[in-house]
Amino acid sequence: MNIIIFGPPGAGKGTQSDFIVKNFNLFKLSTGDLLREEIKKKTPIGQKIITIVNSGSLVSDDIINNLIENVVSNKKYENRIIFDGYPRNLPQAKKLNELLSKYSQKIDIVIKLQVSLEIIKKRITGRLTCSKCSKTFNEFFSPPPTNMICCQDGTLQKRDDDNVGVAVKRYETYEKSTEPVLDFYKKMNLVKDLNGETNIDSIQSKISDYLTVIEGWLCKITPYKYIF
Ligand code: AMP
């Protein structure tokens, strides 16, 4: 099954994707992570996009689409992808559909996490990530250990784009460019709305219910995919 996890920045997409990856044996494709990796490695793409990412605007569709095709075309990930932070506008959604059908795949469910701007500001400005194991903490909701050490050699870091100004800009970008994507998937009857402000466990339990149904159903119609 292929999944899209959808919602504004700070909605908890990363946390829920990690849960799905672990429990449903999927592969997470986070365009934000891929772009940050390019920036960290100072590749030509990284140098081109650094100011765009740090300002909260969207990187060009061409750059994103290339990154996506590299993964969708790879047999290793066939029908096992969770898209996090992508698609973020209508052209990207249409392109994804095109790419998936080119490789005989489709989206099975779009999980939408709804969170208000006030909560998002706190989630984003309080977010700290361990440089070693990528575990995240939040100064307001799940504070890090008092000595600020997560695991050996890991330092707790803030993302360059995690500040109030850029958070609001990212939220506005989401509302303007990304919400129309939902209508596209609603027409395909794929969207499940979840309240992203309730506790993590209850969100995970609802997601599990949805995915278990889809997985059971896919096993019935394409059992061979699950034999190997
Ligand atoms: P994220 O980690 O998903 O919050 O993304 C961080 C930043 O990376 C965004 O604010 C954008 O600048 C850029 N970005 C991530 N995914 C996309 C995408 N699908 N299309 C365009 N820009 C993106």
Side-chain angles (χ1 to χ4, degrees):
M1 91 184 124
N2 291 315
I3 303 169
I4 293 174
I5 186 119
F6 199 88
K13 300 189 295 292
T15 305
Q16 297 303 340
S17 305
D18 291 342
F19 164 79
I20 297 169
V21 165
K22 210 164 126 203
N23 289 277
F24 289 86
N25 191 27
L26 299 187
F27 171 79
K28 174 164 106 168
L29 199 173
S30 156
T31 41
D33 285 350
L34 290 179
L35 296 173
R36 278 185 289 279
E37 200 53 33
E38 298 283 336
I39 293 173
K40 201 166 137 195
K41 288 188 190 151
K42 297 195 167 82
T43 64
I45 290 182
Q47 289 176 348
K48 206 166 154 186
I49 62 172
I50 184 163
T51 44
I52 303 171
V53 169
N54 287 342
S55 73
S57 303
L58 293 183
V59 169
S60 85
D61 291 344
D62 286 349
I63 291 179
I64 300 289
N65 292 337
N66 275 339
L67 295 173
I68 296 290
E69 181 152 15
N70 286 342
V71 179
V72 170
S73 60
N74 188 333
K75 279 269 170 203
K76 187 171 154 196
Y77 308 124
E78 191 179 359
N79 278 316
R80 288 182 47 221
I81 306 174
I82 170 157
F83 296 93
D84 166 359
Y86 173 88
R88 254 176 156 98
N89 58 29
L90 207 48
Q92 288 184 9
K94 289 183 176 165
K95 181 70 187 179
L96 178 61
N97 248 15
E98 221 176 84
L99 279 177
L100 288 172
S101 31
K102 181 172 164 190
Y103 296 100
S104 307
Q105 300 180 58
K106 65 179 175 58
I107 293 295
D108 294 291
I109 185 170
V110 178
I111 296 168
K112 193 214 166 187
L113 299 172
Q114 184 61 50
V115 181
S116 70
L117 180 57
E118 281 323 296
I119 298 277
I120 283 168
K121 281 185 194 165
K122 283 192 168 169
R123 286 197 183 167
I124 288 186
T125 55
R127 176 157 60 189
L128 289 163
T129 308
C130 174
S131 61
K132 186 111 189 268
C133 71
S134 298
K135 182 170 176 179
T136 55
F137 297 90
N138 187 288
E139 286 161 352
F140 303 102
F141 305 116
S142 54
T146 39
N147 61 3
M148 295 293 275
I149 291 175
C150 169
C151 57
Q152 209 188 1
D153 300 333
T155 52
L156 296 178
Q157 298 176 335
K158 284 207 172 191
R159 272 169 49 174
D160 288 342
D161 58 346
D162 274 354
N163 58 65
V164 176
V166 178
V168 172
K169 166 76 178 157
R170 280 156 68 200
Y171 188 81
E172 288 168 356
T173 306
Y174 166 79
E175 284 201 310
K176 186 167 141 238
S177 313
T178 314
E179 286 246 53
V181 174
L182 269 185
D183 294 332
F184 178 78
Y185 289 111
K186 276 185 181 154
K187 284 189 192 129
M188 296 161 81
N189 217 6
L190 290 174
V191 180
K192 297 284 180 204
D193 277 294
L194 287 180
N195 178 356
E197 293 184 11
T198 56
N199 67 65
I200 292 181
D201 290 349
S202 81
I203 301 173
Q204 287 177 347
S205 143
K206 286 194 176 123
I207 291 179
S208 273
D209 290 347
Y210 289 138
L211 301 191
T212 306
V213 169
I214 293 174
E215 217 176 34
W217 181 76
L218 284 176
C219 275
K220 273 186 205 141
I221 58 165
T222 54
Y224 61 90
K225 283 202 157 66
Y226 292 84
I227 289 170
F228 304 105

mmCIF file of all heavy atoms in Angstrom, residues 8-10 13 30-33 35-36 39 49 52-61 64 68 84-89 92 124 127 159 161-162 166 170 173, ligand 1:
data_model
loop_
_atom_site.group_PDB
_atom_site.id
_atom_site.type_symbol
_atom_site.label_atom_id
_atom_site.label_comp_id
_atom_site.label_asym_id
_atom_site.label_seq_id
_atom_site.Cartn_x
_atom_site.Cartn_y
_atom_site.Cartn_z
ATOM 1 N N PRO A 8 -0.564 20.527 7.922
ATOM 2 C CA PRO A 8 0.344 21.682 7.978
ATOM 3 C C PRO A 8 1.673 21.310 8.644
ATOM 4 O O PRO A 8 1.756 20.284 9.325
ATOM 5 C CB PRO A 8 -0.435 22.692 8.833
ATOM 6 C CG PRO A 8 -1.426 21.893 9.589
ATOM 7 C CD PRO A 8 -1.750 20.692 8.759
ATOM 8 N N PRO A 9 2.687 22.180 8.490
ATOM 9 C CA PRO A 9 3.955 21.918 9.175
ATOM 10 C C PRO A 9 3.699 21.851 10.673
ATOM 11 O O PRO A 9 2.936 22.663 11.209
ATOM 12 C CB PRO A 9 4.819 23.142 8.827
ATOM 13 C CG PRO A 9 3.864 24.181 8.326
ATOM 14 C CD PRO A 9 2.699 23.451 7.755
ATOM 15 N N GLY A 10 4.293 20.881 11.348
ATOM 16 C CA GLY A 10 4.093 20.776 12.797
ATOM 17 C C GLY A 10 2.845 19.983 13.159
ATOM 18 O O GLY A 10 2.487 19.906 14.334
ATOM 19 N N LYS A 13 3.222 14.918 11.248
ATOM 20 C CA LYS A 13 3.339 13.975 10.123
ATOM 21 C C LYS A 13 4.545 13.056 10.305
ATOM 22 O O LYS A 13 4.464 11.861 10.071
ATOM 23 C CB LYS A 13 3.463 14.727 8.787
ATOM 24 C CG LYS A 13 2.287 15.622 8.467
ATOM 25 C CD LYS A 13 2.363 16.171 7.057
ATOM 26 C CE LYS A 13 3.533 17.101 6.818
ATOM 27 N NZ LYS A 13 3.453 18.393 7.539
ATOM 28 N N SER A 30 10.239 11.513 2.905
ATOM 29 C CA SER A 30 9.974 12.887 3.344
ATOM 30 C C SER A 30 10.772 13.823 2.450
ATOM 31 O O SER A 30 12.007 13.814 2.473
ATOM 32 C CB SER A 30 10.398 13.053 4.807
ATOM 33 O OG SER A 30 10.682 14.411 5.075
ATOM 34 N N THR A 31 10.058 14.631 1.655
ATOM 35 C CA THR A 31 10.783 15.534 0.748
ATOM 36 C C THR A 31 11.583 16.562 1.557
ATOM 37 O O THR A 31 12.688 16.929 1.172
ATOM 38 C CB THR A 31 9.823 16.242 -0.226
ATOM 39 O OG1 THR A 31 8.645 16.633 0.477
ATOM 40 C CG2 THR A 31 9.457 15.343 -1.378
ATOM 41 N N GLY A 32 11.039 16.973 2.715
ATOM 42 C CA GLY A 32 11.770 17.926 3.573
ATOM 43 C C GLY A 32 13.107 17.329 4.014
ATOM 44 O O GLY A 32 14.150 17.989 3.945
ATOM 45 N N ASP A 33 13.095 16.050 4.442
ATOM 46 C CA ASP A 33 14.342 15.385 4.868
ATOM 47 C C ASP A 33 15.323 15.281 3.699
ATOM 48 O O ASP A 33 16.524 15.515 3.853
ATOM 49 C CB ASP A 33 14.057 13.964 5.391
ATOM 50 C CG ASP A 33 13.432 13.974 6.779
ATOM 51 O OD1 ASP A 33 13.387 15.043 7.411
ATOM 52 O OD2 ASP A 33 12.966 12.898 7.223
ATOM 53 N N LEU A 35 15.534 17.191 1.106
ATOM 54 C CA LEU A 35 16.078 18.514 0.778
ATOM 55 C C LEU A 35 17.113 18.958 1.820
ATOM 56 O O LEU A 35 18.160 19.508 1.474
ATOM 57 C CB LEU A 35 14.943 19.550 0.686
ATOM 58 C CG LEU A 35 13.929 19.306 -0.444
ATOM 59 C CD1 LEU A 35 12.760 20.289 -0.338
ATOM 60 C CD2 LEU A 35 14.580 19.434 -1.820
ATOM 61 N N ARG A 36 16.806 18.684 3.105
ATOM 62 C CA ARG A 36 17.772 19.065 4.163
ATOM 63 C C ARG A 36 19.089 18.297 4.002
ATOM 64 O O ARG A 36 20.168 18.818 4.266
ATOM 65 C CB ARG A 36 17.176 18.827 5.559
ATOM 66 C CG ARG A 36 16.270 19.979 6.007
ATOM 67 C CD ARG A 36 15.774 19.800 7.425
ATOM 68 N NE ARG A 36 14.808 18.721 7.531
ATOM 69 C CZ ARG A 36 13.515 18.835 7.230
ATOM 70 N NH1 ARG A 36 13.037 19.981 6.811
ATOM 71 N NH2 ARG A 36 12.701 17.804 7.329
ATOM 72 N N ILE A 39 21.098 20.007 1.440
ATOM 73 C CA ILE A 39 21.679 21.244 1.997
ATOM 74 C C ILE A 39 22.886 20.899 2.869
ATOM 75 O O ILE A 39 23.946 21.524 2.766
ATOM 76 C CB ILE A 39 20.617 22.025 2.815
ATOM 77 C CG1 ILE A 39 19.525 22.562 1.887
ATOM 78 C CG2 ILE A 39 21.261 23.158 3.610
ATOM 79 C CD1 ILE A 39 18.338 23.200 2.585
ATOM 80 N N ILE A 49 18.756 25.588 -3.161
ATOM 81 C CA ILE A 49 17.478 25.658 -2.443
ATOM 82 C C ILE A 49 17.572 26.203 -1.023
ATOM 83 O O ILE A 49 16.547 26.464 -0.401
ATOM 84 C CB ILE A 49 16.819 24.254 -2.367
ATOM 85 C CG1 ILE A 49 17.719 23.274 -1.592
ATOM 86 C CG2 ILE A 49 16.465 23.731 -3.740
ATOM 87 C CD1 ILE A 49 17.073 21.940 -1.307
ATOM 88 N N ILE A 52 15.493 29.226 -0.135
ATOM 89 C CA ILE A 52 14.052 28.974 -0.299
ATOM 90 C C ILE A 52 13.532 28.194 0.902
ATOM 91 O O ILE A 52 12.524 28.566 1.516
ATOM 92 C CB ILE A 52 13.779 28.163 -1.597
ATOM 93 C CG1 ILE A 52 14.342 28.890 -2.809
ATOM 94 C CG2 ILE A 52 12.290 27.886 -1.773
ATOM 95 C CD1 ILE A 52 14.329 28.094 -4.095
ATOM 96 N N VAL A 53 14.229 27.122 1.266
ATOM 97 C CA VAL A 53 13.789 26.283 2.398
ATOM 98 C C VAL A 53 13.781 27.111 3.679
ATOM 99 O O VAL A 53 12.823 27.071 4.457
ATOM 100 C CB VAL A 53 14.694 25.035 2.542
ATOM 101 C CG1 VAL A 53 14.424 24.305 3.841
ATOM 102 C CG2 VAL A 53 14.472 24.094 1.363
ATOM 103 N N ASN A 54 14.839 27.901 3.888
ATOM 104 C CA ASN A 54 14.911 28.660 5.139
ATOM 105 C C ASN A 54 13.923 29.817 5.206
ATOM 106 O O ASN A 54 13.703 30.384 6.275
ATOM 107 C CB ASN A 54 16.336 29.154 5.389
ATOM 108 C CG ASN A 54 17.238 27.994 5.801
ATOM 109 O OD1 ASN A 54 16.737 26.944 6.202
ATOM 110 N ND2 ASN A 54 18.532 28.167 5.699
ATOM 111 N N SER A 55 13.303 30.152 4.068
ATOM 112 C CA SER A 55 12.310 31.241 4.099
ATOM 113 C C SER A 55 10.891 30.676 4.212
ATOM 114 O O SER A 55 9.942 31.421 4.414
ATOM 115 C CB SER A 55 12.419 32.094 2.832
ATOM 116 O OG SER A 55 11.898 31.356 1.740
ATOM 117 N N GLY A 56 10.729 29.358 4.060
ATOM 118 C CA GLY A 56 9.398 28.755 4.199
ATOM 119 C C GLY A 56 8.608 28.699 2.906
ATOM 120 O O GLY A 56 7.432 28.345 2.906
ATOM 121 N N SER A 57 9.254 29.042 1.773
ATOM 122 C CA SER A 57 8.555 28.916 0.480
ATOM 123 C C SER A 57 8.774 27.516 -0.081
ATOM 124 O O SER A 57 9.561 26.737 0.463
ATOM 125 C CB SER A 57 9.104 29.932 -0.527
ATOM 126 O OG SER A 57 8.983 31.211 0.001
ATOM 127 N N LEU A 58 8.096 27.216 -1.195
ATOM 128 C CA LEU A 58 8.241 25.884 -1.782
ATOM 129 C C LEU A 58 9.360 25.849 -2.813
ATOM 130 O O LEU A 58 9.536 26.778 -3.600
ATOM 131 C CB LEU A 58 6.932 25.451 -2.455
ATOM 132 C CG LEU A 58 5.732 25.191 -1.544
ATOM 133 C CD1 LEU A 58 4.539 24.690 -2.344
ATOM 134 C CD2 LEU A 58 6.059 24.202 -0.426
ATOM 135 N N VAL A 59 10.088 24.757 -2.813
ATOM 136 C CA VAL A 59 11.141 24.504 -3.792
ATOM 137 C C VAL A 59 10.462 24.142 -5.123
ATOM 138 O O VAL A 59 9.325 23.659 -5.131
ATOM 139 C CB VAL A 59 11.992 23.309 -3.265
ATOM 140 C CG1 VAL A 59 12.936 22.776 -4.300
ATOM 141 C CG2 VAL A 59 12.727 23.723 -1.992
ATOM 142 N N SER A 60 11.177 24.384 -6.252
ATOM 143 C CA SER A 60 10.523 24.183 -7.553
ATOM 144 C C SER A 60 10.087 22.718 -7.766
ATOM 145 O O SER A 60 10.738 21.781 -7.303
ATOM 146 C CB SER A 60 11.456 24.617 -8.685
ATOM 147 O OG SER A 60 12.319 23.560 -9.004
ATOM 148 N N ASP A 61 8.974 22.581 -8.486
ATOM 149 C CA ASP A 61 8.416 21.246 -8.723
ATOM 150 C C ASP A 61 9.403 20.333 -9.454
ATOM 151 O O ASP A 61 9.434 19.128 -9.202
ATOM 152 C CB ASP A 61 7.116 21.354 -9.538
ATOM 153 C CG ASP A 61 6.001 21.981 -8.711
ATOM 154 O OD1 ASP A 61 6.147 22.043 -7.473
ATOM 155 O OD2 ASP A 61 4.996 22.412 -9.302
ATOM 156 N N ILE A 64 11.732 18.673 -7.018
ATOM 157 C CA ILE A 64 11.000 17.699 -6.202
ATOM 158 C C ILE A 64 10.646 16.459 -7.026
ATOM 159 O O ILE A 64 10.840 15.321 -6.589
ATOM 160 C CB ILE A 64 9.699 18.330 -5.634
ATOM 161 C CG1 ILE A 64 10.035 19.537 -4.752
ATOM 162 C CG2 ILE A 64 8.859 17.312 -4.893
ATOM 163 C CD1 ILE A 64 10.673 19.208 -3.437
ATOM 164 N N ILE A 68 11.413 12.417 -6.360
ATOM 165 C CA ILE A 68 10.329 11.454 -6.183
ATOM 166 C C ILE A 68 10.451 10.300 -7.173
ATOM 167 O O ILE A 68 10.306 9.138 -6.806
ATOM 168 C CB ILE A 68 8.957 12.160 -6.366
ATOM 169 C CG1 ILE A 68 8.746 13.210 -5.281
ATOM 170 C CG2 ILE A 68 7.809 11.162 -6.403
ATOM 171 C CD1 ILE A 68 8.529 12.661 -3.900
ATOM 172 N N ASP A 84 5.540 11.880 2.993
ATOM 173 C CA ASP A 84 5.422 12.838 4.092
ATOM 174 C C ASP A 84 5.889 14.203 3.567
ATOM 175 O O ASP A 84 7.044 14.362 3.185
ATOM 176 C CB ASP A 84 6.314 12.328 5.248
ATOM 177 C CG ASP A 84 6.560 13.369 6.328
ATOM 178 O OD1 ASP A 84 6.072 14.502 6.226
ATOM 179 O OD2 ASP A 84 7.271 13.032 7.304
ATOM 180 N N GLY A 85 4.954 15.165 3.530
ATOM 181 C CA GLY A 85 5.326 16.501 3.044
ATOM 182 C C GLY A 85 5.271 16.616 1.535
ATOM 183 O O GLY A 85 5.788 17.572 0.956
ATOM 184 N N TYR A 86 4.661 15.658 0.899
ATOM 185 C CA TYR A 86 4.536 15.630 -0.565
ATOM 186 C C TYR A 86 3.282 14.836 -0.914
ATOM 187 O O TYR A 86 3.024 13.808 -0.261
ATOM 188 C CB TYR A 86 5.760 14.955 -1.182
ATOM 189 C CG TYR A 86 5.636 14.736 -2.674
ATOM 190 C CD1 TYR A 86 6.040 15.720 -3.576
ATOM 191 C CD2 TYR A 86 5.090 13.552 -3.186
ATOM 192 C CE1 TYR A 86 5.911 15.514 -4.945
ATOM 193 C CE2 TYR A 86 4.961 13.352 -4.547
ATOM 194 C CZ TYR A 86 5.377 14.335 -5.416
ATOM 195 O OH TYR A 86 5.249 14.142 -6.767
ATOM 196 N N PRO A 87 2.455 15.223 -1.866
ATOM 197 C CA PRO A 87 2.559 16.428 -2.691
ATOM 198 C C PRO A 87 2.082 17.666 -1.933
ATOM 199 O O PRO A 87 1.216 17.579 -1.091
ATOM 200 C CB PRO A 87 1.621 16.119 -3.870
ATOM 201 C CG PRO A 87 0.672 15.092 -3.378
ATOM 202 C CD PRO A 87 1.346 14.331 -2.292
ATOM 203 N N ARG A 88 2.662 18.802 -2.287
ATOM 204 C CA ARG A 88 2.367 20.040 -1.568
ATOM 205 C C ARG A 88 1.606 21.040 -2.425
ATOM 206 O O ARG A 88 1.248 22.110 -1.954
ATOM 207 C CB ARG A 88 3.678 20.673 -1.122
ATOM 208 C CG ARG A 88 3.931 20.528 0.391
ATOM 209 C CD ARG A 88 5.284 21.101 0.656
ATOM 210 N NE ARG A 88 5.532 21.562 1.969
ATOM 211 C CZ ARG A 88 6.174 20.870 2.908
ATOM 212 N NH1 ARG A 88 6.504 19.625 2.685
ATOM 213 N NH2 ARG A 88 6.460 21.421 4.061
ATOM 214 N N ASN A 89 1.400 20.748 -3.673
ATOM 215 C CA ASN A 89 0.540 21.595 -4.516
ATOM 216 C C ASN A 89 -0.104 20.695 -5.594
ATOM 217 O O ASN A 89 0.270 19.521 -5.733
ATOM 218 C CB ASN A 89 1.324 22.766 -5.132
ATOM 219 C CG ASN A 89 2.496 22.302 -5.973
ATOM 220 O OD1 ASN A 89 2.459 21.215 -6.545
ATOM 221 N ND2 ASN A 89 3.546 23.101 -6.050
ATOM 222 N N GLN A 92 2.082 18.944 -8.231
ATOM 223 C CA GLN A 92 2.818 17.797 -7.672
ATOM 224 C C GLN A 92 1.893 16.589 -7.513
ATOM 225 O O GLN A 92 2.285 15.447 -7.755
ATOM 226 C CB GLN A 92 3.425 18.150 -6.305
ATOM 227 C CG GLN A 92 4.611 19.097 -6.387
ATOM 228 C CD GLN A 92 5.259 19.368 -5.021
ATOM 229 O OE1 GLN A 92 4.942 18.733 -4.019
ATOM 230 N NE2 GLN A 92 6.176 20.328 -4.996
ATOM 231 N N ILE A 124 6.415 23.931 16.498
ATOM 232 C CA ILE A 124 7.565 24.222 15.640
ATOM 233 C C ILE A 124 8.674 24.944 16.401
ATOM 234 O O ILE A 124 9.843 24.558 16.327
ATOM 235 C CB ILE A 124 7.125 25.038 14.405
ATOM 236 C CG1 ILE A 124 6.350 24.116 13.465
ATOM 237 C CG2 ILE A 124 8.319 25.647 13.691
ATOM 238 C CD1 ILE A 124 5.967 24.733 12.152
ATOM 239 N N ARG A 127 10.492 22.637 18.914
ATOM 240 C CA ARG A 127 11.026 21.352 18.435
ATOM 241 C C ARG A 127 12.559 21.275 18.525
ATOM 242 O O ARG A 127 13.275 22.183 18.114
ATOM 243 C CB ARG A 127 10.590 21.153 16.974
ATOM 244 C CG ARG A 127 11.139 19.913 16.323
ATOM 245 C CD ARG A 127 10.306 19.450 15.168
ATOM 246 N NE ARG A 127 10.175 20.416 14.089
ATOM 247 C CZ ARG A 127 9.330 20.246 13.057
ATOM 248 N NH1 ARG A 127 8.567 19.170 12.987
ATOM 249 N NH2 ARG A 127 9.269 21.160 12.105
ATOM 250 N N ARG A 159 15.902 23.142 13.880
ATOM 251 C CA ARG A 159 16.012 23.321 12.433
ATOM 252 C C ARG A 159 16.101 24.809 12.133
ATOM 253 O O ARG A 159 15.500 25.621 12.828
ATOM 254 C CB ARG A 159 14.753 22.759 11.754
ATOM 255 C CG ARG A 159 14.864 21.291 11.419
ATOM 256 C CD ARG A 159 13.560 20.700 11.008
ATOM 257 N NE ARG A 159 12.825 21.440 9.993
ATOM 258 C CZ ARG A 159 11.709 21.003 9.428
ATOM 259 N NH1 ARG A 159 11.216 19.820 9.771
ATOM 260 N NH2 ARG A 159 11.073 21.718 8.523
ATOM 261 N N ASP A 161 14.695 26.463 9.908
ATOM 262 C CA ASP A 161 13.412 27.079 9.533
ATOM 263 C C ASP A 161 12.370 26.950 10.644
ATOM 264 O O ASP A 161 11.207 27.267 10.443
ATOM 265 C CB ASP A 161 12.882 26.496 8.208
ATOM 266 C CG ASP A 161 12.696 24.976 8.243
ATOM 267 O OD1 ASP A 161 13.220 24.338 9.186
ATOM 268 O OD2 ASP A 161 12.035 24.434 7.350
ATOM 269 N N ASP A 162 12.784 26.499 11.838
ATOM 270 C CA ASP A 162 11.838 26.372 12.957
ATOM 271 C C ASP A 162 11.832 27.612 13.843
ATOM 272 O O ASP A 162 12.307 27.589 14.980
ATOM 273 C CB ASP A 162 12.182 25.127 13.796
ATOM 274 C CG ASP A 162 11.544 23.862 13.240
ATOM 275 O OD1 ASP A 162 10.749 23.967 12.283
ATOM 276 O OD2 ASP A 162 11.829 22.778 13.765
ATOM 277 N N VAL A 166 9.034 32.082 10.251
ATOM 278 C CA VAL A 166 9.030 31.111 9.152
ATOM 279 C C VAL A 166 7.888 30.095 9.342
ATOM 280 O O VAL A 166 7.280 29.643 8.377
ATOM 281 C CB VAL A 166 10.411 30.415 9.023
ATOM 282 C CG1 VAL A 166 10.398 29.388 7.918
ATOM 283 C CG2 VAL A 166 11.489 31.441 8.739
ATOM 284 N N ARG A 170 5.259 29.224 6.573
ATOM 285 C CA ARG A 170 5.048 27.855 6.091
ATOM 286 C C ARG A 170 3.578 27.465 6.190
ATOM 287 O O ARG A 170 3.048 26.767 5.339
ATOM 288 C CB ARG A 170 5.926 26.867 6.888
ATOM 289 C CG ARG A 170 7.369 26.872 6.387
ATOM 290 C CD ARG A 170 8.344 26.395 7.438
ATOM 291 N NE ARG A 170 8.226 25.002 7.780
ATOM 292 C CZ ARG A 170 8.696 24.483 8.919
ATOM 293 N NH1 ARG A 170 9.274 25.248 9.805
ATOM 294 N NH2 ARG A 170 8.568 23.209 9.147
ATOM 295 N N THR A 173 1.815 29.197 3.364
ATOM 296 C CA THR A 173 2.120 28.481 2.119
ATOM 297 C C THR A 173 1.267 27.220 2.035
ATOM 298 O O THR A 173 0.715 26.886 0.979
ATOM 299 C CB THR A 173 3.622 28.098 2.070
ATOM 300 O OG1 THR A 173 4.393 29.265 2.264
ATOM 301 C CG2 THR A 173 4.002 27.442 0.762
HETATM 302 P P1 AMP B 1 9.100 19.915 5.805
HETATM 303 O O1 AMP B 1 10.238 19.201 6.446
HETATM 304 O O2 AMP B 1 8.146 18.985 5.129
HETATM 305 O O3 AMP B 1 8.420 20.867 6.763
HETATM 306 O O4 AMP B 1 9.717 20.833 4.637
HETATM 307 C C1 AMP B 1 10.657 21.862 4.908
HETATM 308 C C2 AMP B 1 10.783 22.780 3.700
HETATM 309 O O5 AMP B 1 11.269 22.030 2.572
HETATM 310 C C3 AMP B 1 9.481 23.405 3.215
HETATM 311 O O6 AMP B 1 9.147 24.582 3.939
HETATM 312 C C4 AMP B 1 9.818 23.691 1.743
HETATM 313 O O7 AMP B 1 10.674 24.813 1.633
HETATM 314 C C5 AMP B 1 10.648 22.471 1.363
HETATM 315 N N1 AMP B 1 9.807 21.364 0.853
HETATM 316 C C6 AMP B 1 9.562 20.150 1.458
HETATM 317 N N2 AMP B 1 8.764 19.379 0.714
HETATM 318 C C7 AMP B 1 8.455 20.106 -0.393
HETATM 319 C C8 AMP B 1 7.655 19.856 -1.549
HETATM 320 N N3 AMP B 1 6.972 18.704 -1.702
HETATM 321 N N4 AMP B 1 7.578 20.834 -2.502
HETATM 322 C C9 AMP B 1 8.258 21.992 -2.374
HETATM 323 N N5 AMP B 1 9.026 22.306 -1.296
HETATM 324 C C10 AMP B 1 9.130 21.367 -0.313
#
